[in-house]
Amino acid sequence: MRQAGRYMKSYQTLCEKHPSFRERSENVDLVVEISLQPWKVFQPDGVILFSDILTPLSGMNIPFDIIKGKGPVIFDPPTTLSDVEKVREFIPEESVPYVGEALTILRKEVNNQAAVLGFVGAPFTLASYVVEGGSSKNFTKIKRLAFAEPKVLHSLLQIFATSMAKYIRYQADHGAQAVQIFDSWATELSPVDFEEFSLPYLKQIVEAVKLTHPDLPLFLYASGSGGLLERLPLTGVDVVSLDWTVDMADGRRRLGPNVAIQGNVDPGVLFGSKEFITNRINDTVKKAGKGKHILNLGHGIKVGTPEENVAHFFEVAKGLRY
Ligand SMILES: Cc1c2[nH]c(c1CCC(=O)O)Cc1[nH]c(c(CCC(=O)O)c1C)Cc1[nH]c(c(CCC(=O)O)c1C)Cc1[nH]c(c(C)c1CCC(=O)O)C2
C-alpha cells in the first residue's frame, strides 16, 4: 500500500514547508523523513521508500514534474522514433544518488525491525505516462503508438526494461529488501496486447534481476487485474499484488496454491467502522488460505482516510496468526 501521503497530518504539514513534490522526493533528508512518517506512527512490517515511479525520467532526458491538483506532467512527450532515440538509458548512481543514500539510511534507521521496500514502474506504465504526457483516461496516444507504430513503442519499452532492471539492482544494492514493479496501467491492454507490449519486458526485467540478485523478492502490481490474473505470474515474479476488484478466494483459486499473493482489502474500507475493517481483514485472510499471503490493502491509502482507522488496520493485522 502507499503509506506516506496526504492522509497523514505530518505529511501535510511537511508539504506546506516543501510544496514541490520533486524536492520532497529528491532531497535525501526529506525522503528519509517522509518514508519514516508512517513507520513511526503505525509500525508496519515494511517501510516504503518515498519516491515515485516517474523519478527516473529526468535522468533519462524526459523532463517532468508532479503538480498539485494536476498530477504528473511530461513536458515534451516523445512520439516519433527520433524523439525516442533521444531518451537516455538510466544510470541510477549518476541520476538519482539520493535514492541510494536514502535507502542506506533507512536500513540503519529501521534496524531490521521492518523490511525496507523499493519500487519501480513497469515499462508499459512508464511509457503510458511519457507518451500521454501525464495521467490519461482513454490512453489514445499510447494505443495509437502501439497499434500504428509498434516499432517506436517497442524501442521505448526496451529502454525502460533495461533501465528498470538496473534500477532494481541499484535499489537492492543500497538496502531495498524487496522491490515492487508497478504496472498500474497494464490492464488497459487486452490480454493479447499485454502479451506483446508488457509481458516480455516484465519477464526480461525479472530474468535480468534474478541473474544477479536471485534472493531478492520481486512483486508485481497491476490495477484492476482480474482480466490478466493468470498471466501475471508468467513474468516470474515472486509475489502477485492483488487489487480489491478480485475476490481473494477467486484470486487464490485462479493463481493456485504456489503463488504468493499480496492484498487486497479495498482502501475505501478504511472509511468504515472499526468493526467493519476487522471483519473485512478476517474475510480476506480466510479466503487467502494458509500461507503465501501478505495482508495489505489493494491499493494506496486514500486522501481523507482517518489515521486512527489506518492504525486499527495494523493492530488487527499484527494480531493475526496464520
Ligand atoms: C501510477 C503511479 C504513480 N506513482 C506511483 C504509481 C504506482 C502506484 C499506483 O498505481 O498508484 C507509485 C508511488 N508514488 C508515490 C509512492 C510513495 C511511496 C509510499 O509512501 O507508499 C509510490 C509507491 C508517492 C506519491 N506520488 C504522488 C503522490 C501524491 C502527491 C503528493 O503527495 O504531493 C504521492 C504521495 C503523485 C503521483 N504519482 C503518480 C500519480 C498518478 C500521482 C498523482 C496522484 C494524485 O495526485 O493523487 C504516478
Side-chain angles (χ1 to χ4, degrees), residues 222-227 242-248 250 254 264 266 298:
S223 317
S225 57
L242 209 60
D243 75 284
W244 70 94
T245 61
V246 180
D247 187 83
M248 182 54 88
D250 295 340
R254 289 173 61 190
N264 74 342
D266 178 353

Side-chain angles (χ1 to χ4, degrees), residues 144-155 157 196-197 201:
R144 189 202 66 79
L145 204 60
F147 303 142
E149 293 184 81
K151 276 197 182 135
V152 178
L153 180 55
H154 277 300
S155 49
L157 292 167
E196 176 172 353
F197 296 106
Y201 298 99

